[in-house]
């Protein structure tokens, strides 16, 4: 497996609280991505990064922010969690962009009550 | 614009019989196409990819897929199913729109009957 670690693996939080999910890679890949996976929707891109401090929005970015201060770390923050953000969140990395395969972490299951 | 349709949400086969998972795509450009597999409580893993070289692509674990431009299809096959193949499979299309240019299908759940 590619060296990708997501933390925490599971989290339960209350509506309105901030939550930060962490993705750490040891592959020195340039691109990092945050996806959410929901039944019937496949994977949807939240945000991605193409370098340190270079990030952009994906398809479902509302309510989420990201930061990348080091090549190896990509943080996803839910400023004020809502029940609609209950999901499984996956981090992925790739060497280049769209034609390069993605390598995924094992996911974080987030429940917002 | 691009899209991908996985024609079956669930496929059930007996162990030792062939597997066929169907994927159709639409794209304004020459696409790259991927199949990923996801086992329970795991991230997605690349099975194979097509990037305009040979139209028949061989992947890991005995899987292969054929790119058919005239039919806009990229179906995944395996001659003989194994119990360990039970998983969720995702077809993905990329049309070179940048790092956010991937579109995922909604997935096909493959069930292997003993």
């Amino acid at each position: 497996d590619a060296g990708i670690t997501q933390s925490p693996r599971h989290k339960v939080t209350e509506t309105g609280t901030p939550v930060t999910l962490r993705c750490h890679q040891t592959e020195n890949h340039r691109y990092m991505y945050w996806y959410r996976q929901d039944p019937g929707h496949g994977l949807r891109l939240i945000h991605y990064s193409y370098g340190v401090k270079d990030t952009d929005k994906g398809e479902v970015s509302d309510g989420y922010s990201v930061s990348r201060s080091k090549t190896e770390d990509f943080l996803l923050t839910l400023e004020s969690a809502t029940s609609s953000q209950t999901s499984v969140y996956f981090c992925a990395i790739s060497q280049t962009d769209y034609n390069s395969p993605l390598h995924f972490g094992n996911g974080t299951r987030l429940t917002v009550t | 614009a691009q899209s991908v349709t996985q024609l079956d949400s669930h496929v059930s086969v007996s162990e030792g019989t062939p597997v066929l998972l169907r994927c159709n795509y639409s794209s304004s450009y020459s696409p790259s196409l991927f199949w990923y597999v996801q086992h329970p409580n795991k991230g997605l893993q690349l099975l194979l990819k097509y990037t305009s070289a040979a139209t028949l692509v061989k992947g890991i674990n005995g899987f292969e897929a054929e790119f058919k431009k005239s039919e806009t299809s990229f179906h995944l096959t395996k001659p003989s199913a194994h119990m360990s193949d039970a998983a969720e499979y995702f077809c993905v299309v990329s049309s070179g729109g940048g790092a956010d240019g991937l579109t995922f299908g909604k997935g096909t759940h493959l069930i292997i009957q003993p």
Side-chain angles (χ1 to χ4, degrees):
Chain A
D1 289 347
I4 307 169
T5 304
Q6 291 186 233
S7 59
R9 290 297 312 278
H10 301 272
K11 186 167 181 68
V12 180
T13 192
E14 293 185 348
T15 298
T17 60
V19 177
T20 295
L21 309 183
R22 180 177 184 244
C23 178
H24 178 79
Q25 62 145 328
T26 58
E27 305 297 319
N28 201 35
H29 284 359
R30 179 182 175 190
Y31 289 84
M32 298 186 75
Y33 310 78
W34 278 107
Y35 286 90
R36 61 178 288 174
Q37 183 177 31
D38 303 289
H41 289 276
L43 270 74
R44 293 180 291 175
L45 182 65
I46 305 171
H47 281 278
Y48 65 97
S49 169
Y50 45 95
V52 173
K53 297 185 179 176
D54 290 324
T55 66
D56 207 344
K57 296 179 179 180
E59 176 189 359
V60 290
S61 60
D62 287 348
Y64 302 94
S65 62
V66 290
S67 66
R68 191 169 178 197
S69 58
K70 298 185 290 185
T71 298
E72 57 266 35
D73 290 325
F74 192 33
L75 305 180
L76 176 70
T77 297
L78 290 66
E79 305 289 348
S80 177
T82 67
S83 58
S84 64
Q85 293 175 313
T86 292
S87 187
V88 181
Y89 292 86
F90 286 97
C91 174
I93 64 174
S94 67
Q95 289 184 308
T96 59
D97 58 2
Y98 47 89
N99 278 335
S100 179
L102 297 176
H103 301 280
F104 286 83
N106 285 328
T108 294
R109 184 173 296 276
L110 177 68
T111 303
V112 183
T113 62
Chain B
Q2 64 189 26
S3 67
V4 58
T5 303
Q6 293 185 239
L7 297 169
D8 306 291
S9 60
H10 292 79
V11 170
S12 180
V13 301
S14 298
E15 189 176 20
T17 66
V19 174
L20 170 63
L21 305 183
R22 299 182 294 165
C23 173
N24 286 353
Y25 70 91
S26 67
S27 173
S28 303
Y29 305 95
S30 296
S32 295
L33 293 155
F34 307 81
W35 275 100
Y36 286 84
V37 60
Q38 183 181 30
H39 293 277
N41 300 313
K42 295 290 188 182
L44 280 69
Q45 178 187 11
L46 180 71
L47 272 179
L48 50 82
K49 69 173 185 177
Y50 166 79
T51 54
S52 75
T55 57
L56 183 62
V57 182
K58 294 189 183 299
I60 62 172
N61 300 333
F63 285 94
E64 62 182 35
E66 186 172 8
F67 174 72
K68 292 187 176 180
K69 186 175 181 179
S70 61
E71 299 177 9
T72 61
S73 69
F74 190 57
H75 301 335
L76 182 70
T77 61
K78 183 174 181 178
S80 177
H82 191 273
M83 293 300 291
S84 61
D85 294 328
E88 192 85 12
Y89 291 79
F90 293 92
C91 182
V92 181
V93 62
S94 169
S95 295
D100 60 342
L102 295 179
T103 301
F104 284 77
K106 291 182 167 46
T108 298
H109 185 57
L110 178 62
I111 301 162
I112 311 295
Q113 306 281 1

